[in-house]
Amino acid sequence: MSHTNEKIKRIGEAGIWSAEKLNLLRCYLRGFLTATKRAPSRYYIDLFPGPGRNRVRETGEEIDGSPLIAMKAGPPDFTCLFLVDRSQQNTMSLAEYCKDYPGRCANIYCGNANEYIDKIL
C-alpha cells in the first residue's frame, strides 16, 4: 500500500497549556534570532519534538509544534535544526513536514534523546 505525504504527516494531541507554551516559544525564538543576527550560525535542538503539528483538545484548533515553529522562525533562519524523537512515526512525520521548507537544514533522528545529545553537541 502506498502512502501519500498527507498520510505520513501526523497531528499529535495537546492541551491548551501546550498551545500557550508554544506561543511563548514563538516569541522567544523571534527575539533570539534577532539578537543573534550577527552570529555566523544558529542551531535549534529539540529532543522531544513530536510529529510536528498538534490539535488542541479543548478547541480542536491545529497548531504548529515546536519544530515547525523553529523552522518558520526568522529571519535570520536557524542554520540547522536537530530533532530527536523516540517514535519512528513521529520522525517520519517530521521529515515530511520539513520537505515543505526546501533549502532549510533539519537533521532528524529516531531514538533515545539521551544517546543523541552528546553526538549533536
Side-chain angles (χ1 to χ4, degrees), residues 83-100:
L83 310 172
V84 182
D85 199 287
R86 185 172 283 249
S87 164
Q88 185 175 22
Q89 289 180 315
N90 284 349
T91 56
M92 289 172 56
S93 178
L94 288 168
E96 287 303 315
Y97 280 116
C98 288
K99 286 179 183 178
D100 294 338

Side-chain angles (χ1 to χ4, degrees), residues 8-93:
I8 295 173
K9 289 180 179 178
R10 299 179 70 227
I11 298 174
E13 188 175 298
I16 193 75
W17 64 271
S18 290
E20 293 169 3
K21 175 192 73 153
L22 291 167
N23 199 34
L24 290 172
L25 176 66
R26 183 178 288 108
C27 293
Y28 172 79
L29 292 181
R30 187 177 310 126
F32 171 80
L33 290 169
T34 299
T36 61
K37 63 184 170 189
R38 292 187 193 173
S41 51
R42 289 160 298 286
Y43 299 97
Y44 179 84
I45 300 171
D46 194 332
L47 301 178
F48 306 98
R53 289 189 52 81
N54 297 295
R55 182 173 292 109
V56 180
R57 276 188 298 274
E58 293 84 353
T59 66
E61 177 186 15
E62 287 186 20
I63 59 173
D64 286 338
S66 53
L68 293 183
I69 289 170
M71 185 69 76
K72 294 177 180 180
D77 298 333
F78 281 103
T79 305
C80 195
L81 284 72
F82 295 88
L83 310 172
V84 182
D85 199 287
R86 185 172 283 249
S87 164
Q88 185 175 22
Q89 289 180 315
N90 284 349
T91 56
M92 289 172 56
S93 178

